[in-house]
Amino acid sequence: MNNNYNNEEKLQKQADEQDIIEQSGGITAEGSGERIHCMSIIGQIEGHYALPEGQKATKYEHLVPLLFSIEQSDDIDGLLIILNTMGGDVEAGLAIAELIASMKKPTVSLVLGGGHSIGVPLAVCAKKSFIVPSATMTIHPVRINGTVVGSPQTFFYFEKMQERITKFVCDHSGISSESFTKLMMRTDQIATDVGSIIDGNQATECGLIDKVGGLSDAMEELKRMIYKTKGLSQ
């Protein structure tokens, strides 16, 4: 009888975890001495406007309260951010990056596949950043869809938005403003556009990302940070 009850309880727990993953794109896992929340930022970042059906999207309004609950929770010791994003809404992406950067809890990011466009600030916002060798990051100037008013004020708005992004990236990584701008304005890598596409090794060589590594490397670093925060030895 107890075995049946335990099996039912285990199945219910697995179903609840699967539901959490489907709803938020994340899960909290417990190790030997720490509880880590894994949050995924996948596809396009959806901000002020809903994306068409059929597109993978990470919703801004889901991540903001989730990040608040992680920072506030006594049951979560650290946050691992998994990135494979093509970018998306600039203000939403930058706002999420600012929230993560302001967290007191240990945070580590890992770029898998891609950390493109506004995904670049999201890749560097954690206290420590990793990227796998095969991942790429696309760095390009701010662009906008829809009607554009051809006035000096429009260009001023673009310039200020770009300055905000550049400052955030440079403040939270080891790349200089000059190097980042140079990558952003290259004309020989992207067809019909300006910018750069860099892989994992290039991202670390220029100081944009801290280390080349995979899941185990990111987890090991996050655990080290958690134990240090708790005043324990690993």
Side-chain angles (χ1 to χ4, degrees):
M1 189 73 176
N2 285 338
N3 287 336
N4 289 335
Y5 177 78
N6 289 336
N7 288 335
E8 289 178 6
E9 188 178 47
K10 185 177 180 181
L11 290 172
Q12 183 60 49
K13 183 179 179 181
Q14 291 174 344
D16 291 342
E17 287 180 349
Q18 184 62 37
D19 186 57
I20 292 170
I21 292 170
E22 291 176 0
Q23 292 296 322
S24 67
I27 192 70
T28 300
E30 187 169 1
S32 56
E34 71 288 324
R35 284 176 62 85
I36 295 171
H37 186 88
C38 177
M39 184 179 76
S40 58
I41 298 178
I42 305 296
Q44 193 163 348
I45 299 159
E46 185 178 277
H48 299 299
Y49 301 99
L51 295 171
E53 285 191 31
Q55 289 193 32
K56 288 282 185 182
T58 297
K59 296 181 182 294
Y60 165 80
E61 67 271 22
H62 288 179
L63 292 194
V64 170
L66 177 59
L67 288 168
F68 169 78
S69 67
I70 292 169
E71 179 74 347
Q72 186 69 11
S73 175
D74 293 330
D75 296 326
I76 298 175
D77 299 310
L79 172 65
L80 176 67
I81 306 115
I82 304 290
L83 283 153
N84 189 3
T85 177
M86 60 186 292
D89 188 291
V90 172
E91 289 190 344
L94 195 56
I96 295 167
E98 288 279 14
L99 273 177
I100 296 171
S102 65
M103 294 176 70
K104 290 184 177 180
K105 287 190 175 176
T107 55
V108 170
S109 64
L110 174 61
V111 181
L112 297 171
H116 306 299
S117 191
I118 200 61
V120 175
L122 286 163
V124 305
C125 67
K127 292 177 175 62
K128 205 75 173 180
S129 58
F130 287 81
I131 185 170
V132 297
S134 63
T136 56
M137 303 180 76
T138 303
I139 303 165
H140 61 71
V142 173
R143 50 171 75 104
I144 193 169
N145 295 325
T147 303
V148 178
V149 179
S151 68
Q153 291 88 341
T154 300
F155 295 104
F156 178 75
Y157 171 78
F158 278 130
E159 182 181 20
K160 290 301 178 185
M161 178 64 77
Q162 190 61 64
E163 286 177 2
R164 288 166 58 196
I165 294 169
T166 300
K167 186 177 188 309
F168 181 90
V169 170
C170 295
D171 285 349
H172 294 86
S173 71
I175 195 169
S176 67
S177 177
E178 293 76 14
S179 296
F180 187 74
T181 301
K182 185 177 179 180
L183 288 170
M184 187 172 59
M185 301 306 293
R186 285 189 65 166
T187 58
D188 60 341
Q189 284 199 359
I190 304 177
T192 70
D193 202 352
V194 295
S196 300
I197 302 172
I198 59 176
D199 62 23
N201 289 310
Q202 292 170 323
T204 57
E205 286 169 5
C206 71
L208 188 60
I209 299 295
D210 293 321
K211 293 182 180 179
V212 172
L215 180 60
S216 61
D217 302 298
M219 289 292 290
E220 184 178 344
E221 177 64 24
L222 184 55
K223 288 179 181 179
R224 186 192 66 78
M225 294 166 64
I226 290 171
Y227 292 146
K228 184 178 179 181
T229 301
K230 290 182 174 183
L232 303 173
S233 58
Q234 189 170 359

